[in-house]
Amino acid sequence: MKNKGVKNIEISVFGELRILVDDVDISQAIWASKKKTALLEILLLNRQRPMSVTRLAEMIWGEDEEINAENALKTLISRLRKDLEESGLNGAILTVPGGYMWNPDLPANIDVFRMEELCNTLLDAESLDPDIRDQFEELLHLYTDDLLTNSNLSKWITPKSVYYHDLYLKTVYRYIDLLNQEKEYGDIIRVCKIALDIDAFDSTLNLELM
């Protein structure tokens, strides 16, 4: 199902969950329910694969034996879909055999996946041509905080957050290495200061800054 009239969908999961549809922030409607927010977070971060009813229920409700997980999840999915559709995101959540998934064909820009794409390219960079430099700079402005800092799914989110934090630092180190090769020491100081806003105690960054 296509999103008629939607020009642009931007989703940020670094820091607080933010969803912009044609530059309009629709996040507030989702935040009103912690369960809806948790469901959306799970589906977004697993956008390329279906999530089973059992797995979703376990992540959202834990071992609450008072809950009829299948019915509760069906209701939650329905409410989340309604919120998204009212904001112009039709067909964002697909029903698949045994579960649900975020529609991978939805033309949405999701910061975490753009970051991974950049890092996969930049970690193999051998020189600072203009395009590579622009991509490093994009990364510096893209990763501004840990993953979903206000999430109620900390047990599940924390390992993913650590992974992206480490991936960011590893890629920044590569940028600094290339800047050292070019003897661009002013840029090294600038990059270190930006990255230290993310991790003030990182020893490699502090040594480079010295």
Side-chain angles (χ1 to χ4, degrees):
M1 192 171 183
K2 294 183 178 179
N3 293 277
K4 296 180 179 179
V6 172
K7 298 176 183 177
N8 189 44
I9 304 167
E10 299 283 343
I11 300 175
S12 300
V13 294
F14 292 128
E16 289 185 324
L17 174 66
R18 294 276 181 184
I19 305 174
L20 299 179
V21 179
D22 291 345
D23 296 323
V24 176
D25 191 340
I26 69 166
S27 310
Q28 295 293 335
I30 312 299
W31 288 349
S33 164
K34 292 181 180 179
K35 294 289 190 293
K36 278 191 295 187
T37 303
L39 174 59
L40 183 56
E41 289 170 353
I42 295 166
L43 294 175
L44 282 172
L45 291 181
N46 292 277
R47 67 169 186 164
Q48 297 293 343
R49 62 191 182 96
M51 298 296 291
S52 71
V53 169
T54 301
R55 181 64 175 140
L56 284 169
E58 176 189 348
M59 295 173 76
I60 295 171
W61 286 282
E63 298 179 357
D64 188 348
E65 296 181 0
E66 301 296 321
I67 293 291
N68 182 321
E70 187 170 350
N71 288 341
L73 184 59
K74 188 178 294 185
T75 299
L76 194 63
I77 286 282
S78 178
R79 290 174 178 169
L80 179 56
R81 277 178 171 153
K82 183 175 182 292
D83 287 340
L84 294 174
E85 287 168 2
E86 287 177 351
S87 301
L89 288 183
N90 298 315
I93 299 174
L94 304 179
T95 300
V96 296
Y100 304 92
M101 71 181 295
W102 181 263
N103 186 349
D105 295 326
L106 194 71
N109 298 314
I110 305 176
D111 57 359
V112 67
F113 299 113
R114 175 56 179 163
M115 175 193 166
E116 280 193 299
E117 179 184 327
L118 287 170
C119 291
N120 287 337
T121 297
L122 297 173
L123 285 171
D124 292 329
E126 296 296 334
S127 62
L128 281 177
D129 64 52
D131 182 56
I132 291 296
R133 189 184 294 267
D134 286 346
Q135 290 181 61
F136 274 118
E137 292 297 323
E138 181 183 352
L139 173 68
L140 290 176
H141 292 91
L142 188 63
Y143 184 87
T144 56
D145 206 341
D146 288 332
L147 189 68
L148 296 168
T149 51
N150 291 332
S151 177
N152 290 310
L153 299 169
S154 58
K155 181 179 178 180
W156 178 68
I157 293 293
T158 298
K160 288 180 175 288
S161 186
V162 170
Y163 164 75
Y164 290 116
H165 181 95
D166 291 348
L167 181 61
Y168 167 80
L169 289 177
K170 185 178 179 181
T171 310
V172 169
Y173 299 159
R174 184 61 191 148
Y175 192 16
I176 292 169
D177 287 343
L178 294 173
L179 288 169
N180 269 313
Q181 291 177 23
E182 300 291 331
K183 299 182 180 180
E184 297 186 21
Y185 304 120
D187 269 341
I188 291 171
I189 292 172
R190 177 182 61 84
V191 169
C192 285
K193 287 182 176 180
I194 292 172
L196 283 168
D197 283 339
I198 299 296
D199 191 336
F201 302 104
D202 183 79
S203 58
T204 300
L205 295 174
N206 279 293
L207 283 172
E208 288 290 346
L209 196 57
M210 293 172 63

